[in-house]
Amino acid sequence: MSVQLRPRLARAAALALLCARAAPAAAQPYDPAYHWRTLETPHFRIHFHQGEEDLARRVAATAERAHAVLSPLLGYSPSSGTEVVLSDDSDLANGLTTPLPYDTIRLYATPPPEISELNAYRDWLSTLVFHEYVHILHLDHVEGVPQGLNHVFGKLLAPNGLTPSWMAEGLAVLHEADGDPGQDSGRNRSAIFDMYARSLSLEPPGFPRLDQASNPSLEWPLGSIPYLLGGRFMEFLEERSGDGAIAGYIARQGAQIWPYAPSHVGEPFFGASFPELWEEFGRRQEARARETLERVRERPVTRPRRITWRGGTAGWPRFSADGRTIAYLAYDLDRGYQLLQVTPEGRPAGRTVRVEGGDGLSLSGQAAVLSRPEVYRGYRLYDDLWRLELESGRLHRLTRGARASEPALSADGAVLVDVRRSTPGEMAVERRRVDGSGAETLFEEAGVQVYAPAISPDGHRIAFAIQRAGRRDLLLLDEGRRVQVTDDGAIDASPAFTPDGRWLLFSSDRGGVYNLYAWPVEECLAGGSGCALRQVTNVETGAFQPTVSPDGRTIAFVTYTRAGYDIATLPFDPEGWLDPEPAPAAEPPPALPDPVAAPSHPFHPWPTLGPTFWFPLPGVDPNGPTYGALTGGGDVLGLHRYALAAWAGPQSRQVGYSAAYVGGWSWPLVDLASSRTVVSARDGLGLESVWTLADLGLDFTFPRLEWWALVRLGWAGTLRGVRDATSTAHVPEDLGRADAFGSQLTLQATWSDAQRFVRSISAEEGRTLALDGVVASRSLGSDYDLSEGRASLAQYLRVPFTRHAVLALRLAGGAASGSIGNSAPFALGGVAQPDVLPLLLGTEAQLPSADELRGYPSGWLQGTGFALANAELRFPIASPELGHTTWPVFLRRVHGAVFADLGDAFDLPGTLPFAGHPFRTDELRLGAGLEARLELALGYFAVTDLRLGLGHAFGRVFQGEAREPGVGAVEGWVVLGSAF
């Protein structure tokens, strides 16, 4: 339910502002239309926007309860209050926590979906708050030398955040149900998580090694592994050594200067190293899994016919009207989100449609209605309803910003029922016509969650799952009356009527394993003796989301293996059904604290806006070393962010500074920077100061699920001047004088629909277009005229009949008029080390790398224009997944590339003669070679490529002879970062 933010990123984000002007991608986190207020308690400050006050008061009370329960357990209490930001801008349930630059929890006001590893909750808000606050008590616990350094430099170090994610997420999973002690809830008690662990333990290739669990996985269940195995491993440690051992370990790990040896730190507290403990833990998980299977096998085991074999996720199977095909939504680890169709025998059928996510599907005739998320008003991610033409694959939007999901169509296809997220944290069942008219609310109760409505064939009855008072049951609306279908302690889900309306099928975790059950509708509504629940399946893993064919002869449902979810079928045979597994008794409702009644006040950025750190900033200028410091900060809502640095050179007797500001209070985002640096003078006989008085930008962001675009419009004013020079004779004539002011307009734009999937080795579909232009003119107040522009287009094509081989093509070019300091505007040649900052910020794979003409030395070709074409054939080689216990370096995959680069730098007419020739095809140089790429996980989180390359310079291939030195040589390189 949480994503642990790497603490180092907070520092990297501040440094990014010092390294360059604010990038357009650094968008504000929240919609500027929100009006924020703050509610304060003894240990928390809850920030919320309009419409959330009631929920915020519940959050405040729950957070204080979490502090009272968890702080003694973990032996730590933060020295300052925790900032909690509550937002209702996403229909995806989640929370985010970071201890840097100050303790911050971000909560989405959204209950979890029906079938997910998050659904084993008694109160979703309590589970969410407890889980996230464990992160604060864990990650913020710093002692020893790191604590001393933090006292001196500000909050910079959080050693507990630099450990494998299963530690932080596992500890949070262990305690996420402590708000409801003694109850059977939380992910460690989830039948879905138990199913995952059972498959990992018993199906090949066997239980994951410690190094595999400590790093990002390429196999199912992907990012759930830290929560799944971490939660169970922490429970194992707690049972073995007690809460005190875990609290002691956290304190010791928080004192480590080198945080990447957690096993060594933990051995004194747990009596063995983590590798030894992990082996014992794996054996216990296998024994637990076998016990479950033995219990299942005491009765006849259902062996369904599996008709898909993709794994990943699969859901919402639906028969076509003629019963010849089954459509379903899937997330394929090789191809992403899709709507797929198969025959009941498992043969591919119909069109495959890219749907970019989805939580609900219903069919009627040749049309389908599905729900899927989309960006709303630029900042929010809301579910909406879409009509899909199955034959053509065309999508038509039915709602916009309705926050509607899980649609169910009536038999005639004219009416649908769906789940709507009505207000923050609240849900309702609504009915509407497919043409968008006549929407009405059928069911809504405060604090009650609803899921997966189903319409009876005659349209008179509607069944759905309901979460009320800590229990998940089924409710039936029968022409105005409410009928309780189930009333126990099991999680009941996904109701579906049979075509004749006689049975209501559903899935349930009663008995500890999800199976299908059937409720006889007419008998139960009549109150007769025939009202007896029946168990349809008795599977070894799980069975979910049933649907019945139009002829009533076949049940299709979602099944599970280690590879993930797939679709299976079995005959509709009531004679073979079993007596149901007993459901657990219904527990009393969870005890929830009363909402906080303290008054709220308008949000003020000042309490979190001050500088949170400072750090020495050593450097050099042309005359020797420089000494300085940097600092930065930003308020918790991201309305204002800034970074400042200043330095001085004792030998040059010059000072410099850099200041940057990003304002997240508007669209477009506003960024402002100013700096002064000292470089070697243009005549080589002194120093030159470069003083950017202001660099102002407006950053327009256009996010979508299928594509994204960024546009920055800017103006910069820069004063250049020669200082301490013995001669100014060589000051370039195009600047006019020794001191020159440049007034320039800038444009940066990027658009991309490039796609890469879980098992991709690079982007393998779509394209990325980037434009960058600068114009300085005397009409703008500049002392000189200068224009420069460059563009690039990268295209990615999956190689047919291969799994992940990719043909990556790139065209780039640029042209300039004028030059600053007689330096060439463009240079080609060599492979430069990409900036590692985007890697740390997690944006490394989003943009193409710098222009590369491999095989030639760096800067070999220079000019006022350039043209370049790159082609790579990329292919996977192996997936060794090699690491050692909890060491912070992990080799995930090896892949390779064969490349050819063709390009040249040239002179435009009337410009300075850097290249000595205009653009001609016979001047184009060719470089070719190959690269081996090691896909590494560094520090457990950052995934990038280590590129080992060899390139050969073939020279002017269209002239038939080289005619220049160095051609024919072989260049080698080792760089960290992805290619374009």
Side-chain angles (χ1 to χ4, degrees):
M1 194 176 290
S2 73
V3 176
Q4 177 191 344
L5 298 183
R6 279 89 75 188
R8 56 192 161 196
L9 298 193
R11 297 286 74 81
L15 291 174
L17 294 175
L18 297 171
C19 295
R21 63 179 173 231
Q28 58 268 47
Y30 299 110
D31 192 336
Y34 285 152
H35 303 291
W36 294 88
R37 297 185 66 82
T38 300
L39 182 66
E40 299 193 33
T41 71
H43 300 97
F44 299 89
R45 285 178 291 274
I46 316 297
H47 310 290
F48 60 94
H49 56 75
Q50 63 268 35
E52 291 189 308
E53 183 144 356
D54 290 343
L55 188 61
R57 295 186 181 280
R58 286 185 57 202
V59 168
T62 304
E64 284 296 338
R65 184 184 183 193
H67 177 81
V69 170
L70 296 173
S71 183
L73 280 176
L74 299 179
Y76 179 73
S77 179
S79 59
S80 60
T82 298
E83 310 293 330
V84 180
V85 182
L86 178 66
S87 64
D88 191 30
D89 50 5
S90 174
D91 287 343
L92 303 177
N94 206 347
L96 311 171
T97 297
T98 180
L100 300 177
Y102 34 75
D103 292 340
T104 304
I105 296 173
R106 303 185 188 276
L107 304 177
Y108 297 110
T110 302
E114 184 204 33
I115 297 296
S116 82
E117 58 225 33
L118 302 175
N119 71 351
Y121 66 85
R122 296 264 290 159
D123 177 70
W124 70 272
L125 191 63
S126 175
T127 300
L128 175 62
V129 171
F130 269 72
H131 182 104
E132 299 303 331
Y133 193 56
V134 171
H135 286 327
I136 292 295
L137 298 178
H138 176 199
L139 305 180
D140 189 57
H141 196 157
V142 182
E143 295 190 358
V145 174
Q147 183 183 45
L149 293 174
N150 284 349
H151 282 315
V152 174
F153 296 109
K155 205 170 183 184
L156 285 167
L157 300 176
N160 274 309
L162 301 176
T163 56
S165 58
W166 58 258
M167 291 190 181
E169 300 302 351
L171 187 63
V173 167
L174 176 65
H175 290 294
E176 65 189 11
D178 281 345
D180 192 23
Q183 303 299 337
D184 195 24
S185 62
R187 275 171 280 195
N188 272 355
R189 299 296 174 266
S190 163
I192 290 180
F193 257 24
D194 194 57
M195 175 182 72
Y196 288 178
R198 194 159 61 248
S199 294
L200 286 175
S201 299
L202 301 181
E203 296 181 38
F207 198 74
R209 304 187 312 269
L210 179 57
D211 61 307
Q212 292 175 310
S214 299
N215 290 280
S217 177
L218 293 166
E219 301 301 327
W220 188 261
L222 301 174
S224 295
I225 287 179
Y227 303 84
L228 167 67
L229 299 183
R232 288 166 172 250
F233 186 57
M234 285 296 175
E235 186 175 54
F236 163 76
L237 294 180
E238 181 187 53
E239 293 172 352
R240 195 177 191 274
S241 305
D243 279 325
I246 294 177
Y249 163 74
I250 291 171
R252 183 70 59 83
Q253 178 66 28
Q256 300 304 301
I257 294 293
W258 175 255
Y260 296 111
S263 180
H264 173 74
V265 176
E267 189 166 354
F269 297 95
F270 304 119
S273 67
F274 280 143
E276 294 169 326
L277 293 166
W278 192 266
E279 288 187 9
E280 182 182 347
F281 166 65
R283 291 192 296 270
R284 288 199 186 183
Q285 290 300 301
E286 182 178 348
R288 177 175 169 180
R290 293 194 183 281
E291 288 177 4
T292 300
L293 283 190
E294 289 174 4
R295 182 175 55 79
V296 169
R297 291 169 180 172
E298 290 175 356
R299 302 198 300 168
V301 174
T302 303
R303 304 293 182 187
R305 178 179 185 177
R306 184 175 166 190
I307 62 174
T308 69
W309 300 84
R310 292 173 176 267
T313 66
W316 306 96
R318 297 293 183 260
F319 279 95
S320 61
D322 58 11
R324 294 181 179 179
T325 61
I326 301 171
Y328 67 100
L329 298 176
Y331 179 72
D332 187 324
L333 275 58
D334 294 300
R335 293 293 180 264
Y337 289 103
Q338 298 173 310
L339 183 144
L340 299 168
Q341 299 179 70
V342 295
T343 68
E345 295 74 36
R347 295 188 301 272
R351 178 183 291 270
T352 296
V353 182
R354 175 72 57 76
V355 294
E356 299 300 338
D359 190 15
L361 172 68
S362 187
L363 300 188
S364 178
Q366 288 302 309
V369 172
L370 57 87
S371 60
R372 47 156 284 192
E374 184 54 274
V375 178
Y376 180 68
R377 293 184 178 176
Y379 298 91
R380 313 178 197 183
L381 191 64
Y382 287 166
D383 285 331
D384 269 306
L385 301 178
W386 303 69
R387 182 167 60 85
L388 170 65
E389 298 176 9
L390 292 175
E391 290 187 358
S392 66
R394 288 196 293 268
L395 280 166
H396 306 275
R397 192 165 192 161
L398 298 179
T399 64
R400 187 175 298 274
R403 310 189 72 175
S405 62
E406 303 177 69
L409 279 167
S410 61
D412 61 5
V415 175
L416 63 82
V417 176
D418 60 75
V419 170
R420 177 172 58 88
R421 301 187 185 275
S422 51
T423 57
E426 301 295 339
M427 303 170 73
V429 175
E430 67 176 5
R431 177 168 54 199
R432 69 176 78 228
R433 297 192 63 82
V434 173
D435 62 11
S437 64
E440 60 174 323
T441 298
L442 300 178
F443 179 91
E444 184 175 19
E445 288 184 10
V448 173
Q449 293 83 56
V450 292
Y451 301 101
I455 305 177
S456 64
D458 61 9
H460 295 158
R461 295 164 180 157
I462 297 171
F464 52 91
I466 177 173
Q467 177 93 10
R468 178 199 280 141
R471 293 159 47 193
R472 180 78 56 85
D473 292 307
L474 298 184
L475 192 69
L476 180 71
L477 301 183
D478 181 27
E479 297 186 327
R481 65 170 175 157
R482 298 180 180 181
V483 178
Q484 196 77 31
V485 175
T486 60
D487 188 13
D488 49 50
I491 296 178
D492 301 323
S494 306
F497 288 95
T498 56
D500 58 10
R502 290 186 55 194
W503 295 92
L504 183 68
L505 273 61
F506 62 95
S507 58
S508 176
D509 73 341
R510 59 192 66 218
V513 175
Y514 271 95
N515 272 292
L516 304 184
Y517 294 81
W519 185 72
V521 178
E522 298 297 342
E523 289 86 344
C524 291
L525 292 179
S529 60
C531 181
L533 187 67
R534 304 298 292 159
Q535 183 171 340
V536 178
T537 66
N538 182 43
V539 296
E540 295 181 340
T541 54
F544 310 87
Q545 296 184 331
T547 188
V548 182
S549 61
D551 62 8
R553 299 173 61 182
T554 304
I555 301 173
F557 64 97
V558 175
T559 187
Y560 186 82
T561 67
R562 180 171 180 147
Y565 293 92
D566 273 294
I567 307 301
T569 62
L570 73 155
F572 187 90
D573 180 20
E575 297 298 323
W577 295 349
L578 306 172
D579 292 330
E581 286 273 15
E587 298 285 349
L592 302 178
D594 293 331
V596 168
S600 64
H601 60 78
F603 170 78
H604 300 296
W606 318 118
T608 55
L609 192 58
T612 58
F613 74 100
W614 76 274
F615 204 73
L617 187 66
V620 294
D621 66 18
N623 283 8
T626 63
Y627 305 95
L630 63 88
T631 188
D635 69 271
V636 70
L637 296 182
L639 301 178
H640 310 281
R641 289 169 285 171
Y642 63 92
L644 303 169
W647 58 89
Q651 297 180 20
S652 64
R653 292 175 296 177
Q654 297 291 320
V655 297
Y657 75 91
S658 178
Y661 167 82
V662 177
W665 36 264
S666 70
W667 190 91
L669 178 148
V670 176
D671 69 77
L672 177 64
S674 178
S675 63
R676 183 182 187 272
T677 59
V678 178
V679 298
S680 296
R682 297 185 294 274
D683 61 3
L685 299 175
L687 303 177
E688 178 185 8
S689 68
V690 181
W691 185 9
T692 298
L693 304 175
D695 186 349
L696 175 64
L698 300 177
D699 305 290
F700 300 84
T701 57
F702 305 93
R704 295 292 186 272
L705 290 189
E706 296 90 349
W707 55 268
W708 56 269
L710 309 170
V711 178
R712 182 184 188 274
L713 301 176
W715 173 85
T718 301
L719 181 64
R720 297 172 179 270
V722 175
R723 297 289 180 266
D724 300 328
T726 57
S727 169
T728 59
H730 301 296
V731 174
E733 294 180 0
D734 62 325
L735 291 184
R737 61 177 186 266
D739 295 322
F741 178 71
S743 174
Q744 62 186 36
L745 298 177
T746 60
L747 167 67
Q748 294 171 294
T750 304
W751 178 91
S752 180
D753 67 351
Q755 295 270 352
R756 69 177 296 167
F757 311 111
V758 171
R759 293 182 177 138
S760 302
I761 59 173
S762 79
E764 58 182 56
E765 293 181 4
R767 62 210 56 82
T768 295
L769 173 66
L771 305 172
D772 195 343
V774 176
V775 174
S777 169
R778 287 177 170 83
S779 63
L780 298 173
S782 181
D783 291 332
Y784 54 87
D785 295 323
L786 173 71
S787 60
E788 180 178 314
R790 65 194 305 150
S792 66
L793 173 64
Q795 176 74 51
Y796 306 97
L797 304 169
R798 187 187 307 122
V799 178
F801 309 111
T802 69
R803 194 166 186 184
H804 288 293
V806 180
L807 180 61
L809 306 172
R810 184 172 183 268
L811 294 174
S817 176
S819 169
I820 295 179
N822 274 347
S823 61
F826 304 108
L828 286 180
V831 178
Q833 169 62 55
D835 187 0
V836 298
L837 184 60
L839 168 64
L840 295 176
L841 293 174
T843 60
E844 180 264 341
Q846 295 295 314
L847 296 174
S849 62
D851 303 311
E852 295 178 347
L853 183 60
R854 288 163 286 190
Y856 295 84
S858 179
W860 182 259
L861 304 172
Q862 299 186 0
T864 52
F866 83 97
L868 177 66
N870 307 104
E872 288 192 357
L873 177 62
R874 300 170 178 171
F875 47 89
I877 297 174
S879 299
E881 291 192 298
L882 293 177
H884 182 68
T885 65
T886 55
W887 285 15
V889 179
F890 183 75
L891 174 62
R892 297 213 307 174
R893 290 184 292 187
V894 179
H895 48 101
V898 178
F899 68 83
D901 301 334
L902 185 68
D904 184 39
F906 50 85
D907 298 324
L908 296 172
T911 59
L912 297 173
F914 295 106
H917 64 270
F919 175 76
R920 296 200 309 264
T921 56
D922 61 359
E923 291 285 347
L924 292 172
R925 275 81 163 180
L926 174 67
L930 53 86
E931 285 187 317
R933 295 169 179 172
L934 310 182
E935 186 179 280
L936 303 175
L938 304 176
Y940 315 115
F941 300 104
V943 176
T944 190
D945 291 338
L946 180 66
R947 298 167 53 193
L948 314 174
L950 292 174
H952 184 277
F954 290 92
R956 299 181 177 93
V957 291
F958 295 113
Q959 287 191 5
E961 55 181 338
R963 296 197 315 163
E964 56 187 340
V967 171
V970 174
E971 292 280 331
W973 56 88
V974 178
V975 296
L976 190 66
S978 299
F980 71 89

